[in-house]
Amino acid sequence: MNDFSRRGLLRVTAGAGAGAVVVSGAAAAAAPAAGAVTEASGSDAHCAPAELTGRIVRPEDAGYTDARLGWDQLFSHYPLVIVFAQNTQDVVNALTWARQNDVAVRVRSGRHALEGWSNVDNGLVIDISDLKSVHVDTKSRIATVGAGLNQLEAVTTLAEQNFAVTTGTEGSVGLSGATLGGGFGFLTRWLGMACDSLVGAEIVVPSGTECAKVIHADLYNNSDLLWALRGAGNGNFGIVTSLTYKLAPLKSVTYLQATWQGIDNLRPIFEAYQRTAPTTDARLGTQLEIHRNQIFLFGVLPEGTPDETKKLLASILSIDSPDITTQVGNWGDVYAGFQIPIEQEPANWKFHSQFTRKPFPSDAIDIVDSFIRTAPTDDSNFFVQAFGGNVRRSPRGGTAFPHRDALFYSEPGVGWGERSDQPGVCDPLTSQCQAWIAEFSQALRTYVDGAYVNVPNIAQQDWETAYWGNNFDRLRTIKAKYDPNNVFQYEQSVPPAVC
């Protein structure tokens, strides 16, 4: 069986009071140094000239190429300096230094920014991936984690104590990036969006004309900022250095994979999926992935059994004779088992995100069938994630994520090319792959509505409302409060409201 990646095949494997866990490489937040602006300081305060601290990488350093490259090698940037923060004070120093020296700044965690916007030429990249602390209070079911954790680290560490939060399916993606854009995966219908479990954050924001300060956002302090971070927090308002989550107890899951060879049954499978997956038991999370040679159905049922999982998916599994496998185990073990090593993935990727509020009619399914049959690579696919369940319930304090009434999320995607330490060389497949996905997305436009900010598209029309719907004006007001000088800006960032 072939291994697919990024929205592709997920591999199947055989398969007491307050406590604290610390992932290797963690660093506790340091107290603000002399001259830094703290939360209680006035916004007009002045600060001493800043110096960069942490692990600093410049173009002349041997590790510069590795430090600058992102997961998607379709994009290649050459920053002036990269700061790998070891604590919160390193972030304060870096942001202050950038402001004092009039240098553009970008924020990076998991390096999966899908348009390359977490990097910048001739600017400062503040990388928070070394902030990996994890503190779990088992009694209150609250975890505070460093913003540098990736999803695999978060899932496996929490699962060791039989806890979980919603994450995406790909382990190397940064936890903070996924959460701050909304975040969804196999546990979404059960626990809601990833941002729904976010109850607090530590964030470094601009202060005055050239300084930076540390503030906290929760339901009682800067609650408007917490609302904004829940769905629009990626690089718009400041630099999140830690996140606090409300945890759900989870001892085991059943993981199911069904595989159909060929795509001749695409229509009945898709029709059965969209009729069943968004409305079944709210515990059941599913993904349907359509490739040019195979169709895959994945399901995760928390605290469920294989028989129960198969029964819930019977209307889909009864079509033809798919190969069906199941696994019961700890969620961390199951999650780790279906990861694909980055070195086995293609170098270049492009995706178009879509939300759907009504079932696809036959014409739309025919479009999917037609484009998948002419896909340029085996890593090309059409990926569907069922919504419904507890996605429709907004948490206390609300969120900026607007797509709660979606029936499902879908995403044409294409991957191509081999990984290299010298990206940027024109791949002969690039133009073909980009044309295919652009035409595919355009052909489905009548049947979809809105887009996902974590899967952005530089060519997205009306991106402000596509990502955030009617919440955009409120986001601009909050931006004007916390980043009035628009320090955090990129091609599709939230601009501050202007009086």
Side-chain angles (χ1 to χ4, degrees), residues 143-161:
T144 297
V145 306
L149 287 181
N150 64 32
Q151 294 186 136
L152 177 61
E153 292 166 335
V155 170
T156 54
T157 302
L158 294 177
E160 288 175 358
Q161 299 192 55

Side-chain angles (χ1 to χ4, degrees), residues 463-465 468-477 493-495:
W463 57 268
E464 302 94 332
T465 52
W468 296 299
N470 295 330
N471 292 331
F472 189 66
D473 287 343
R474 184 179 177 187
L475 288 169
R476 292 194 64 189
T477 300
S493 60
V494 175

Side-chain angles (χ1 to χ4, degrees), residues 88-89 91-93 95-96 202-206 212-215 237-241 488:
T88 300
Q89 187 58 43
V91 177
V92 172
N93 294 344
L95 181 56
T96 303
E202 178 185 80
I203 180 170
V204 178
V205 297
K213 64 181 180 180
V214 182
I215 65 173
F237 307 98
I239 305 167
V240 173
T241 51
F488 294 99

Side-chain angles (χ1 to χ4, degrees), residues 307-318:
D307 287 344
E308 188 179 8
T309 307
K310 291 177 183 178
K311 183 177 180 180
L312 292 171
L313 294 171
S315 64
I316 311 170
L317 299 177
S318 63

Side-chain angles (χ1 to χ4, degrees), residues 115-154:
E115 288 285 4
W117 294 335
S118 65
N119 208 336
V120 62
D121 292 321
N122 300 314
L124 169 65
V125 173
I126 302 176
D127 188 297
I128 58 170
S129 61
D130 287 344
L131 304 181
K132 293 186 182 294
S133 59
V134 180
H135 300 280
V136 178
D137 185 328
T138 59
K139 185 176 181 179
S140 64
R141 298 179 181 174
I142 294 290
T144 297
V145 306
L149 287 181
N150 64 32
Q151 294 186 136
L152 177 61
E153 292 166 335

Side-chain angles (χ1 to χ4, degrees), residues 152-199:
L152 177 61
E153 292 166 335
V155 170
T156 54
T157 302
L158 294 177
E160 288 175 358
Q161 299 192 55
N162 293 324
F163 288 118
V165 294
T166 297
T167 70
T169 57
E170 192 161 353
S172 62
V173 169
L175 176 71
S176 59
T179 299
L180 297 174
F184 57 83
F186 281 125
L187 303 185
T188 304
R189 300 185 68 252
W190 180 46
L191 300 179
M193 304 296 293
C195 66
D196 295 354
S197 297
L198 183 68
V199 295

Side-chain angles (χ1 to χ4, degrees), residues 37 73 80 97 161 300 302 389 419 431 433 462 471 477 479:
V37 177
Q73 294 191 354
L80 176 71
W97 182 90
Q161 299 192 55
V300 170
R419 293 193 169 271
S431 59
C433 290
D462 301 321
N471 292 331
T477 300
K479 172 78 167 183

